[in-house]
Amino acid sequence: MGAMGAAEPLQSVLWVKQERCAVSLEPARALLRWWRSPVTGPCAPDANACCVPVSEIIAVEETDVHEKQSSSGRWQKMENPFAFTASRPKHLLVFINPFGGKGQGKHIYEKKVAPLFTLASITTEIIITEHANQAKETLYEINTDSYDGIVCVGGDGMFSEVLHGVIGRTQRNAGIDPNHPRAVLVPSTLRIGIIPAGSTDCVCYSTVGTNDAETSALHIIVGDSLAIDVSSVHHNSTLLRYSVSLLGYGFYGDLIKDSEKKRWMGLVRYDFSGLKTFLSHQYYEGTVSFLPAQHTVGSPRDKKPCRAGCFVCRQSKQQLEEEQKKALYGLENAEEMEEWQVVCGKFLAINATNMSCACPRSPGGMSPAAHLGDGSSDLILIRKCSRFNFLRFLVRHTNQDDQFDFTFVEVYRVKKFQFTSKHVEDEDSDLKEHGKQPFGQICNDSPICSCSTSRSSWNCDGEVLYSPAIEVRVHCQLVRLFARGIEEKS
């Protein structure tokens, strides 16, 4: 499918005689995988048949048995298509952001996606958004029972709107207070589809492996399902936002804050603000406390990226569920007794990633081995270093070298963490209490220093958060996407 690799064995296949029926793929001509090796064995109809997995077919169109075949050798598009429904979506709610990225969302949907939905007999209700948070507000207000899924056409910001709407509505219906930092959130039954039309399309790229609109549309059509982790970000007892990709303080927080002031520059504002932030080389002092994700079967540096049918995600979720059951019945220590680690110092950047955060500019992403559904986040701490060394670190985001192989970089796989900037450490006693947990402080800098106490901002999936003290918790596989994960290339 698209840029993805060879297929795994599938249980269901369709034998197709080339003179009897055609699998119509227009306008997605090359986006469906075909196996045209000679067919043998007792189940093969005849030597002219080819094998197509049913799960990969969009629609089938029959021809007359006696109809004259075309000498061109091409598949012929016929009338009255027969769509495969099974567990696939039949009716979708589509939000289109006409302003995101290069403003091509509406065009991309109409030219590349809508024809495929029509071919697959999927009906849609389309809402073209006119202002920020319209998708989120709509999802809170309307009855979603008639929809089999929500599709967002736009960039990461548009996806974030839909994500907040879906999660928020689900918690409201379940009577869950999302402002409680330790609330156990209820997963939503609605799947979210992403048609990439933004500037980076990080979420789509990290979950599909490409930012091709037709490939994403096919994932929606065949009804793929991929559960991903979501982090809740709190300050005291107030929910600030949810995050699925990057949560960054320092460099990436300053970058997004500056770029918001320069929207008039278009997409070039990110490059401009990035250069400006790099040259300023601002560092910040604070304290990070975190709870290691001991339930995971992987590590940030094991060079085992998350792929379709990921064993790490599946096994980690099972172990996390076992931990939760033991805690529920008092067989092990509760959260308050778990061992927190504490790191203090001067940081150029503090990043937490629930996924690789890959994009066309950075194919490996910020944490190449991060997993989509293992109930953890990769916490990356970049301590104060020279501008040259920091540049070396940033350059490694674009190549295959180990970006964590620096003395000033630390990476941990965590299931929750907290951060307090130096000048507000005494303002939040709840956060400070965790600093007294076992393991002590890991601090390479002198506690008495003259470093800057100015505050940065948080970059939360491209949105600015101004709170200098936050508490972050990972919710394992809280949301499902119309995706299957990145498949290995053949």
Side-chain angles (χ1 to χ4, degrees):
M1 187 178 290
M4 300 182 292
E8 68 284 359
L10 295 171
Q11 295 180 348
S12 301
V13 297
L14 174 69
W15 297 107
V16 182
K17 287 196 67 176
Q18 296 184 16
E19 72 269 18
R20 287 295 301 272
C21 72
V23 178
S24 176
L25 298 178
E26 296 293 341
R29 292 173 295 277
L31 292 180
L32 195 63
R33 294 183 300 225
W34 283 85
W35 289 261
R36 294 189 179 277
S37 56
V39 178
T40 60
C43 61
D46 57 48
N48 293 322
C50 61
C51 176
V52 182
V54 171
S55 60
E56 304 293 280
I57 298 174
I58 299 175
V60 170
E61 297 168 339
E62 273 193 308
T63 67
D64 191 297
V65 176
H66 304 291
E67 183 179 350
K68 185 178 180 181
Q69 295 181 359
S70 171
S71 59
S72 65
R74 298 179 179 179
W75 293 100
Q76 302 300 305
K77 185 174 181 180
M78 314 306 292
E79 299 298 328
N80 303 318
F82 297 91
F84 289 84
T85 55
S87 61
R88 301 180 181 185
K90 300 178 182 179
H91 188 48
L92 297 170
L93 176 60
V94 180
F95 290 100
I96 300 177
N97 180 0
F99 308 111
K102 298 180 180 179
Q104 294 294 304
K106 190 171 182 290
H107 174 78
I108 289 174
Y109 179 80
E110 292 176 347
K111 298 298 182 181
K112 296 185 176 183
V113 179
L116 291 176
F117 283 176
T118 300
L119 183 66
S121 298
I122 294 177
T123 59
T124 59
E125 182 175 334
I126 300 173
I127 297 178
I128 299 177
T129 59
E130 299 176 350
H131 57 81
N133 290 318
Q134 182 178 345
K136 175 184 175 182
E137 295 165 358
T138 302
L139 288 170
Y140 267 90
E141 297 170 357
I142 66 172
N143 184 356
T144 59
D145 292 343
S146 62
Y147 302 110
D148 300 313
I150 311 297
V151 175
C152 55
V153 183
D156 293 329
M158 189 63 183
F159 169 76
S160 183
E161 276 195 39
V162 171
L163 175 83
H164 280 77
V166 168
I167 296 178
R169 180 189 179 93
T170 302
Q171 308 320 307
R172 185 188 66 182
N173 293 346
I176 304 295
D177 180 11
N179 287 313
H180 195 297
R182 295 182 181 177
V184 178
L185 302 185
V186 177
S188 173
T189 57
L190 275 176
R191 284 173 289 177
I192 303 175
I194 307 173
I195 302 299
S199 53
T200 57
D201 300 312
C202 170
V203 178
C204 182
Y205 201 94
S206 298
T207 56
V208 177
T210 179
N211 58 348
D212 176 70
E214 291 169 317
T215 299
S216 293
L218 288 173
H219 278 297
I220 297 170
I221 290 170
V222 300
D224 281 330
S225 184
L226 175 70
I228 65 171
D229 297 337
V230 178
S231 290
S232 57
V233 185
H234 287 81
H235 173 66
N236 291 335
S237 294
T238 302
L239 174 69
L240 300 180
R241 285 190 73 84
Y242 294 110
S243 172
V244 297
S245 55
L246 170 67
L247 191 60
Y249 187 83
F251 178 78
Y252 290 101
D254 294 347
L255 187 160
I256 198 68
K257 181 180 178 181
D258 186 75
S259 68
E260 284 296 299
K261 303 174 184 177
K262 299 176 173 60
R263 284 187 168 273
W264 55 271
M265 296 178 65
L267 298 180
V268 73
R269 70 183 185 274
Y270 295 114
D271 294 327
F272 180 86
S273 295
L275 178 60
K276 177 182 175 181
T277 304
F278 171 77
L279 294 176
S280 69
H281 203 58
Q282 182 69 50
Y283 60 89
Y284 303 92
E285 188 171 9
T287 300
V288 181
S289 55
F290 60 89
L291 190 61
Q294 297 178 349
H295 68 279
T296 58
V297 295
S299 72
R301 300 189 66 180
D302 61 12
K303 299 185 183 298
K304 296 179 180 178
C306 190
R307 292 294 181 259
C310 181
F311 169 81
V312 172
C313 292
R314 184 171 63 253
Q315 199 70 8
S316 296
K317 184 185 180 184
Q318 291 177 358
Q319 293 193 24
L320 181 60
E321 290 173 345
E322 288 299 319
E323 282 186 11
Q324 293 170 342
K325 289 179 181 177
K326 291 179 180 179
L328 179 63
Y329 292 104
L331 299 178
E332 288 188 353
N333 292 336
E335 285 185 2
E336 292 79 1
M337 303 301 294
E338 291 179 304
E339 296 177 328
W340 288 71
Q341 294 192 33
V342 180
V343 181
C344 68
K346 309 168 189 174
F347 304 98
L348 288 172
I350 298 172
N351 301 326
T353 63
N354 283 17
M355 56 181 61
S356 66
C357 292
C359 66
R361 287 191 175 187
S362 178
M366 288 188 178
S367 186
H371 287 269
L372 296 168
D374 67 342
S376 73
S377 178
D378 286 355
L379 179 63
I380 308 166
L381 309 179
I382 300 94
R383 291 185 181 270
K384 178 186 175 184
C385 62
S386 68
R387 184 180 284 109
F388 174 71
N389 277 337
F390 188 53
L391 177 61
R392 291 171 61 206
F393 167 76
L394 294 177
V395 168
R396 288 199 180 181
H397 286 72
T398 64
N399 57 38
Q400 300 297 317
D401 295 335
D402 184 357
Q403 54 195 270
F404 304 133
D405 189 23
F406 294 103
T407 58
F408 54 88
V409 177
E410 302 168 32
V411 59
Y412 307 91
R413 186 151 286 176
V414 306
K415 59 182 179 182
K416 59 184 72 174
F417 76 92
Q418 301 162 348
F419 170 78
T420 313
S421 63
K422 181 176 176 58
H423 69 289
V424 294
E425 281 183 342
D426 296 329
E427 295 181 4
D428 196 327
S429 60
D430 290 337
L431 292 175
K432 187 177 180 181
E433 282 299 317
H434 288 297
K436 299 178 182 179
Q437 298 294 334
F439 279 74
Q441 290 191 349
I442 307 171
C443 186
N444 293 342
D445 301 307
S446 171
I448 302 176
C449 59
S450 58
C451 64
S452 171
T453 58
S454 61
R455 67 176 67 183
S456 179
S457 302
W458 286 93
N459 178 343
C460 182
D461 293 358
E463 299 295 328
V464 181
L465 297 182
Y466 293 98
S467 176
I470 63 170
E471 180 176 354
V472 181
R473 178 173 182 165
V474 183
H475 300 269
C476 186
Q477 300 188 15
L478 185 65
V479 168
R480 286 191 171 273
L481 306 182
F482 284 107
R484 65 177 63 166
I486 298 174
E487 295 185 309
E488 296 286 359
K489 295 182 179 180
S490 58

PDB file of all heavy atoms in Angstrom, residues 227-243:
ATOM      1  N   ALA A 227      -3.758   1.529  17.906  1.00  0.00           N
ATOM      2  CA  ALA A 227      -3.912   2.218  19.193  1.00  0.00           C
ATOM      3  C   ALA A 227      -2.619   2.939  19.545  1.00  0.00           C
ATOM      4  O   ALA A 227      -1.533   2.362  19.459  1.00  0.00           O
ATOM      5  CB  ALA A 227      -4.268   1.214  20.280  1.00  0.00           C
ATOM      6  N   ILE A 228      -2.722   4.206  19.941  1.00  0.00           N
ATOM      7  CA  ILE A 228      -1.544   4.990  20.294  1.00  0.00           C
ATOM      8  C   ILE A 228      -1.686   5.581  21.693  1.00  0.00           C
ATOM      9  O   ILE A 228      -2.795   5.791  22.193  1.00  0.00           O
ATOM     10  CB  ILE A 228      -1.276   6.122  19.279  1.00  0.00           C
ATOM     11  CG1 ILE A 228      -2.416   7.151  19.298  1.00  0.00           C
ATOM     12  CG2 ILE A 228      -1.053   5.562  17.891  1.00  0.00           C
ATOM     13  CD1 ILE A 228      -2.111   8.399  18.480  1.00  0.00           C
ATOM     14  N   ASP A 229      -0.538   5.849  22.306  1.00  0.00           N
ATOM     15  CA  ASP A 229      -0.513   6.462  23.629  1.00  0.00           C
ATOM     16  C   ASP A 229      -0.815   7.954  23.549  1.00  0.00           C
ATOM     17  O   ASP A 229      -0.526   8.605  22.541  1.00  0.00           O
ATOM     18  CB  ASP A 229       0.869   6.286  24.270  1.00  0.00           C
ATOM     19  CG  ASP A 229       1.230   4.834  24.500  1.00  0.00           C
ATOM     20  OD1 ASP A 229       0.304   4.006  24.594  1.00  0.00           O
ATOM     21  OD2 ASP A 229       2.439   4.535  24.593  1.00  0.00           O
ATOM     22  N   VAL A 230      -1.366   8.479  24.631  1.00  0.00           N
ATOM     23  CA  VAL A 230      -1.630   9.916  24.747  1.00  0.00           C
ATOM     24  C   VAL A 230      -1.160  10.363  26.125  1.00  0.00           C
ATOM     25  O   VAL A 230      -1.440   9.696  27.131  1.00  0.00           O
ATOM     26  CB  VAL A 230      -3.127  10.237  24.586  1.00  0.00           C
ATOM     27  CG1 VAL A 230      -3.374  11.735  24.771  1.00  0.00           C
ATOM     28  CG2 VAL A 230      -3.639   9.772  23.229  1.00  0.00           C
ATOM     29  N   SER A 231      -0.456  11.477  26.185  1.00  0.00           N
ATOM     30  CA  SER A 231      -0.019  12.034  27.462  1.00  0.00           C
ATOM     31  C   SER A 231      -0.934  13.181  27.881  1.00  0.00           C
ATOM     32  O   SER A 231      -1.288  14.023  27.055  1.00  0.00           O
ATOM     33  CB  SER A 231       1.424  12.553  27.369  1.00  0.00           C
ATOM     34  OG  SER A 231       2.343  11.493  27.257  1.00  0.00           O
ATOM     35  N   SER A 232      -1.306  13.191  29.155  1.00  0.00           N
ATOM     36  CA  SER A 232      -2.059  14.322  29.697  1.00  0.00           C
ATOM     37  C   SER A 232      -1.071  15.250  30.403  1.00  0.00           C
ATOM     38  O   SER A 232      -0.160  14.796  31.098  1.00  0.00           O
ATOM     39  CB  SER A 232      -3.128  13.838  30.677  1.00  0.00           C
ATOM     40  OG  SER A 232      -2.553  13.074  31.729  1.00  0.00           O
ATOM     41  N   VAL A 233      -1.235  16.545  30.201  1.00  0.00           N
ATOM     42  CA  VAL A 233      -0.337  17.548  30.779  1.00  0.00           C
ATOM     43  C   VAL A 233      -1.139  18.397  31.756  1.00  0.00           C
ATOM     44  O   VAL A 233      -2.100  19.066  31.370  1.00  0.00           O
ATOM     45  CB  VAL A 233       0.280  18.439  29.683  1.00  0.00           C
ATOM     46  CG1 VAL A 233       1.307  19.397  30.291  1.00  0.00           C
ATOM     47  CG2 VAL A 233       0.922  17.584  28.594  1.00  0.00           C
ATOM     48  N   HIS A 234      -0.752  18.367  33.017  1.00  0.00           N
ATOM     49  CA  HIS A 234      -1.463  19.088  34.070  1.00  0.00           C
ATOM     50  C   HIS A 234      -0.566  20.125  34.753  1.00  0.00           C
ATOM     51  O   HIS A 234       0.651  19.951  34.820  1.00  0.00           O
ATOM     52  CB  HIS A 234      -1.968  18.122  35.144  1.00  0.00           C
ATOM     53  CG  HIS A 234      -3.125  17.280  34.725  1.00  0.00           C
ATOM     54  ND1 HIS A 234      -2.965  16.136  33.967  1.00  0.00           N
ATOM     55  CD2 HIS A 234      -4.467  17.403  34.953  1.00  0.00           C
ATOM     56  CE1 HIS A 234      -4.153  15.586  33.750  1.00  0.00           C
ATOM     57  NE2 HIS A 234      -5.079  16.332  34.337  1.00  0.00           N
ATOM     58  N   HIS A 235      -1.201  21.157  35.258  1.00  0.00           N
ATOM     59  CA  HIS A 235      -0.569  22.071  36.208  1.00  0.00           C
ATOM     60  C   HIS A 235      -1.472  22.105  37.435  1.00  0.00           C
ATOM     61  O   HIS A 235      -2.635  22.495  37.354  1.00  0.00           O
ATOM     62  CB  HIS A 235      -0.420  23.480  35.631  1.00  0.00           C
ATOM     63  CG  HIS A 235       0.068  24.486  36.649  1.00  0.00           C
ATOM     64  ND1 HIS A 235       1.326  24.408  37.198  1.00  0.00           N
ATOM     65  CD2 HIS A 235      -0.544  25.552  37.230  1.00  0.00           C
ATOM     66  CE1 HIS A 235       1.481  25.405  38.059  1.00  0.00           C
ATOM     67  NE2 HIS A 235       0.357  26.105  38.100  1.00  0.00           N
ATOM     68  N   ASN A 236      -0.935  21.648  38.571  1.00  0.00           N
ATOM     69  CA  ASN A 236      -1.742  21.462  39.778  1.00  0.00           C
ATOM     70  C   ASN A 236      -2.916  20.547  39.442  1.00  0.00           C
ATOM     71  O   ASN A 236      -2.723  19.431  39.007  1.00  0.00           O
ATOM     72  CB  ASN A 236      -2.190  22.803  40.344  1.00  0.00           C
ATOM     73  CG  ASN A 236      -1.027  23.591  40.914  1.00  0.00           C
ATOM     74  OD1 ASN A 236      -0.014  23.016  41.309  1.00  0.00           O
ATOM     75  ND2 ASN A 236      -1.154  24.902  40.965  1.00  0.00           N
ATOM     76  N   SER A 237      -4.121  20.999  39.584  1.00  0.00           N
ATOM     77  CA  SER A 237      -5.284  20.154  39.292  1.00  0.00           C
ATOM     78  C   SER A 237      -6.048  20.663  38.081  1.00  0.00           C
ATOM     79  O   SER A 237      -7.282  20.620  38.035  1.00  0.00           O
ATOM     80  CB  SER A 237      -6.204  20.084  40.521  1.00  0.00           C
ATOM     81  OG  SER A 237      -5.560  19.418  41.580  1.00  0.00           O
ATOM     82  N   THR A 238      -5.308  21.132  37.094  1.00  0.00           N
ATOM     83  CA  THR A 238      -5.923  21.633  35.871  1.00  0.00           C
ATOM     84  C   THR A 238      -5.291  20.974  34.658  1.00  0.00           C
ATOM     85  O   THR A 238      -4.063  20.984  34.509  1.00  0.00           O
ATOM     86  CB  THR A 238      -5.763  23.165  35.760  1.00  0.00           C
ATOM     87  OG1 THR A 238      -6.350  23.788  36.907  1.00  0.00           O
ATOM     88  CG2 THR A 238      -6.438  23.676  34.505  1.00  0.00           C
ATOM     89  N   LEU A 239      -6.123  20.386  33.806  1.00  0.00           N
ATOM     90  CA  LEU A 239      -5.622  19.821  32.556  1.00  0.00           C
ATOM     91  C   LEU A 239      -5.274  20.949  31.598  1.00  0.00           C
ATOM     92  O   LEU A 239      -6.103  21.806  31.304  1.00  0.00           O
ATOM     93  CB  LEU A 239      -6.682  18.914  31.924  1.00  0.00           C
ATOM     94  CG  LEU A 239      -6.356  18.369  30.528  1.00  0.00           C
ATOM     95  CD1 LEU A 239      -5.212  17.362  30.598  1.00  0.00           C
ATOM     96  CD2 LEU A 239      -7.587  17.731  29.889  1.00  0.00           C
ATOM     97  N   LEU A 240      -4.046  20.946  31.109  1.00  0.00           N
ATOM     98  CA  LEU A 240      -3.620  21.964  30.148  1.00  0.00           C
ATOM     99  C   LEU A 240      -3.871  21.497  28.709  1.00  0.00           C
ATOM    100  O   LEU A 240      -4.510  22.196  27.939  1.00  0.00           O
ATOM    101  CB  LEU A 240      -2.141  22.290  30.344  1.00  0.00           C
ATOM    102  CG  LEU A 240      -1.742  22.824  31.722  1.00  0.00           C
ATOM    103  CD1 LEU A 240      -0.240  23.114  31.767  1.00  0.00           C
ATOM    104  CD2 LEU A 240      -2.536  24.080  32.075  1.00  0.00           C
ATOM    105  N   ARG A 241      -3.354  20.309  28.372  1.00  0.00           N
ATOM    106  CA  ARG A 241      -3.540  19.775  27.019  1.00  0.00           C
ATOM    107  C   ARG A 241      -3.225  18.292  27.017  1.00  0.00           C
ATOM    108  O   ARG A 241      -2.673  17.750  27.982  1.00  0.00           O
ATOM    109  CB  ARG A 241      -2.619  20.476  25.997  1.00  0.00           C
ATOM    110  CG  ARG A 241      -3.037  21.865  25.611  1.00  0.00           C
ATOM    111  CD  ARG A 241      -2.213  22.355  24.432  1.00  0.00           C
ATOM    112  NE  ARG A 241      -2.572  21.715  23.189  1.00  0.00           N
ATOM    113  CZ  ARG A 241      -3.582  22.096  22.404  1.00  0.00           C
ATOM    114  NH1 ARG A 241      -4.338  23.123  22.754  1.00  0.00           N
ATOM    115  NH2 ARG A 241      -3.831  21.478  21.274  1.00  0.00           N
ATOM    116  N   TYR A 242      -3.530  17.657  25.894  1.00  0.00           N
ATOM    117  CA  TYR A 242      -3.089  16.292  25.620  1.00  0.00           C
ATOM    118  C   TYR A 242      -1.983  16.356  24.570  1.00  0.00           C
ATOM    119  O   TYR A 242      -1.986  17.245  23.710  1.00  0.00           O
ATOM    120  CB  TYR A 242      -4.231  15.422  25.107  1.00  0.00           C
ATOM    121  CG  TYR A 242      -5.336  15.179  26.112  1.00  0.00           C
ATOM    122  CD1 TYR A 242      -6.593  15.756  25.937  1.00  0.00           C
ATOM    123  CD2 TYR A 242      -5.122  14.382  27.232  1.00  0.00           C
ATOM    124  CE1 TYR A 242      -7.609  15.538  26.857  1.00  0.00           C
ATOM    125  CE2 TYR A 242      -6.127  14.161  28.151  1.00  0.00           C
ATOM    126  CZ  TYR A 242      -7.373  14.747  27.964  1.00  0.00           C
ATOM    127  OH  TYR A 242      -8.368  14.529  28.874  1.00  0.00           O
ATOM    128  N   SER A 243      -1.079  15.405  24.631  1.00  0.00           N
ATOM    129  CA  SER A 243       0.032  15.370  23.682  1.00  0.00           C
ATOM    130  C   SER A 243       0.223  13.953  23.163  1.00  0.00           C
ATOM    131  O   SER A 243       0.136  12.989  23.927  1.00  0.00           O
ATOM    132  CB  SER A 243       1.325  15.848  24.363  1.00  0.00           C
ATOM    133  OG  SER A 243       2.452  15.647  23.526  1.00  0.00           O
TER     134      SER A 243
END
